[in-house]
């Protein structure tokens, strides 16, 4: 008859102690949020491409909001659009890849729990990858949301841009949110 003994060591470095995976790891749901952003971005851009010709628009709220079809070869909000297209495209692709990698690493580090920061990073990652896909595959990004408030026309944007901006605003809220003080 054999006698089974349980290890009595409580040392975390003891190789006999098996640690269970952290049950609070929320990386998968956060990466799924990024994937949903990419999916909604692709679906919305495909819908626009198949229903509105480039340069045209459909009024949704007359004088305030319309769906348009703009081929943006520049950066966010059509910045750098007047520079040589290949240089801008390669620069934006390079920047987007580096930014997406940095955001992914930050998301991986903070993604064990769902926080304002991790949700913000997931939104930013999804938006960056959504626009990166367009730049690589089509050499432009489809922008289609057009807003006019009084005499100010906001540059056309898309779902990916919206998620990047929402994520950035969430990060700002997190930065400026009062931190609890330890008593």
């Amino acid at each position: 008859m054999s006698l089974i003994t349980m290890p009595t060591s409580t040392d975390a470095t003891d190789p006999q102690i098996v640690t269970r995976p952290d049950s609070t790891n929320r990386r998968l749901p956060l990466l799924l949020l990024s994937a949903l952003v990419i999916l909604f971005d692709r679906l919305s851009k495909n819908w626009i491409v198949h229903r509105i010709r480039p340069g045209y628009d459909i009024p949704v709220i007359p004088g305030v909001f319309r769906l348009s079809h703009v081929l943006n070869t520049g950066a966010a909000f059509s910045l750098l659009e007047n520079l040589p297209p290949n240089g801008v495209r390669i620069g934006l692709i390079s920047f987007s890849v580096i930014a997406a990698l940095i955001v992914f690493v930050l998301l991986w580090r903070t993604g064990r729990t769902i926080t304002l920061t991790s949700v913000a990073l997931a939104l930013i990652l999804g938006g960056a990858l959504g626009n990166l896909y367009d730049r690589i595959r089509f050499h432009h990004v489809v922008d289609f949301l057009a807003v006019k408030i009084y005499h100010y026309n906001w540059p056309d944007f898309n779902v990916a841009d919206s998620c990047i901006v929402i994520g950035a605003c969430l990060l700002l809220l997190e930065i400026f949110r009062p931190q609890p003080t330890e008593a």
Side-chain angles (χ1 to χ4, degrees):
M1 183 164 138
S2 68
L3 180 63
I4 300 175
T5 59
M6 299 298 289
T8 58
S9 172
T10 57
D11 182 11
T13 60
D14 188 340
Q16 292 181 353
I17 295 178
V18 178
T19 57
R20 291 187 310 167
D22 187 3
S23 62
T24 62
N25 188 343
R26 300 291 182 226
R27 290 178 181 135
L28 182 60
L30 291 165
L31 291 173
L32 286 174
L33 175 59
S34 294
L36 280 174
V37 168
I38 295 167
L39 176 67
F40 288 140
D41 184 58
R42 288 295 336 128
L43 290 174
S44 62
K45 289 173 181 174
N46 283 337
W47 190 89
I48 292 297
V49 166
H50 289 96
R51 286 176 180 68
I52 302 174
R53 291 189 321 201
Y56 288 84
D57 60 60
I58 299 172
V60 177
I61 302 173
V64 177
F65 177 66
R66 59 191 164 78
L67 296 175
S68 61
H69 186 167
V70 176
L71 305 178
N72 179 1
T73 58
F77 310 118
S78 299
L79 295 173
L80 309 174
E81 192 171 45
N82 297 326
L83 295 177
N86 279 338
V88 170
R89 180 175 166 264
I90 292 169
L92 290 173
I93 288 172
S94 301
F95 175 78
S96 296
V97 167
I98 292 167
L101 286 172
I102 290 170
V103 171
F104 178 79
V105 168
L106 292 172
L107 179 60
W108 193 258
R109 287 184 177 176
T110 63
R112 291 193 187 280
T113 59
I114 294 180
T115 63
L116 203 57
T117 299
S118 62
V119 169
L121 292 171
L123 290 171
I124 293 169
L125 180 63
L129 293 175
N131 282 339
L132 177 62
Y133 174 84
D134 284 1
R135 288 191 195 291
I136 291 171
R137 180 134 194 262
F138 305 115
H139 297 223
H140 62 264
V141 172
V142 173
D143 289 332
F144 59 89
L145 300 169
V147 176
K148 179 180 180 183
I149 300 175
Y150 295 106
H151 299 290
Y152 182 74
N153 286 318
W154 192 261
D156 294 14
F157 57 99
N158 57 44
V159 171
D161 297 334
S162 299
C163 289
I164 292 169
V165 170
I166 291 168
C169 289
L170 290 175
L171 286 177
L172 285 174
L173 284 174
E174 182 70 9
I175 290 169
F176 292 114
R177 183 173 64 163
Q179 300 299 317
T181 57
E182 294 184 28

